[in-house]
Amino acid sequence: FKSKEPTMTREHNVALEKNVQVSSSYENELVGFTKKYLTDGVTEHNTRHSGWSSGQGLHMDDPYAEEWVVVELGDVYNIDAVCLYPVHTGACFPKKLEVQVSSNGKDWEVVHVYEGSGLADTRPRVFVFDRIDASHVRIVTKEMMKMQYSTNGYLFQLAEIEVYKSDRNN
């Protein structure tokens, strides 16, 4: 696991407070799940904030179904890193995913492929890649996990997404 670099600060996170699109969403603010929490800057769990979850019961038997999250950066930035925070339990972080970028929101290029253990792990995943201009960043599942004893099927859950400008040393 890579750790966040000292330069990966709030000031250099171009995803902060930006609009997101999702393939599906379990919207329940009572238990702290809504897509607007993906870029709100809150990475720690509290009673009102868990993060985002894909729709429940959609993928009962198919871990390879595709779920995705798109962050609309609102401008073109030269970026080279993405940090994904699992929800507080560490469960339902994809075993396999792709980080994709686009400069128009239509044509996507894979900049990083992640393959993990599939075990619950609460540590943030930091993905560093070659510098690239992008106005949109998409995280696409290639293999999802489900919580043990869950009746909700395979889910994609995140607490937060951060996208970092490549010139963060300035």
Side-chain angles (χ1 to χ4, degrees):
F1 264 34
K2 284 188 188 232
S3 296
K4 282 175 73 170
E5 298 165 19
T7 57
M8 290 180 179
T9 61
R10 196 174 173 92
E11 299 79 55
H12 298 105
N13 174 13
V14 295
L16 190 62
E17 302 294 345
K18 298 292 171 59
N19 194 38
V20 293
Q21 302 291 330
V22 294
S23 49
S24 70
S25 192
Y26 171 64
E27 295 284 318
N28 185 338
E29 289 192 52
L30 210 61
V31 295
F33 278 108
T34 177
K35 70 180 185 179
K36 70 183 179 190
Y37 289 161
L38 279 168
T39 57
D40 67 354
V42 179
T43 60
E44 299 296 318
H45 172 76
N46 63 56
T47 53
R48 303 184 77 71
H49 191 294
S50 296
W52 165 82
S53 177
S54 59
Q56 299 191 350
L58 298 178
H59 311 294
M60 296 310 292
D61 302 310
D62 186 7
Y64 304 103
E66 189 175 280
E67 288 284 347
W68 50 262
V69 171
V70 173
V71 180
E72 299 171 349
L73 301 177
D75 211 337
V76 175
Y77 293 93
N78 191 259
I79 63 170
D80 68 353
V82 168
C83 181
L84 303 178
Y85 288 83
V87 296
H88 69 285
T89 60
C92 297
F93 190 91
K95 184 173 182 182
K96 295 180 187 164
L97 62 78
E98 288 181 355
V99 178
Q100 303 174 350
V101 300
S102 173
S103 55
N104 61 14
K106 296 180 186 70
D107 304 305
W108 299 94
E109 182 179 338
V110 176
V111 292
H112 189 83
V113 176
Y114 168 82
E115 189 163 340
S117 67
L119 300 173
D121 191 329
T122 58
R123 293 176 293 177
R125 308 316 200 272
V126 178
F127 308 130
V128 177
F129 42 86
D130 291 338
R131 294 173 177 215
I132 191 165
D133 287 335
S135 62
H136 296 73
V137 175
R138 179 166 71 174
I139 312 301
V140 182
T141 63
K142 295 300 171 184
E143 185 177 350
M144 290 184 284
M145 302 303 296
K146 68 177 172 183
M147 285 184 266
Q148 199 173 6
Y149 314 116
S150 172
T151 58
N152 297 321
Y154 290 88
L155 299 171
F156 178 16
Q157 295 182 338
L158 290 175
E160 185 78 9
I161 297 176
E162 297 170 343
V163 178
Y164 290 101
K165 293 190 289 189
S166 59
D167 64 346
R168 54 187 180 271
N169 293 321
N170 301 338

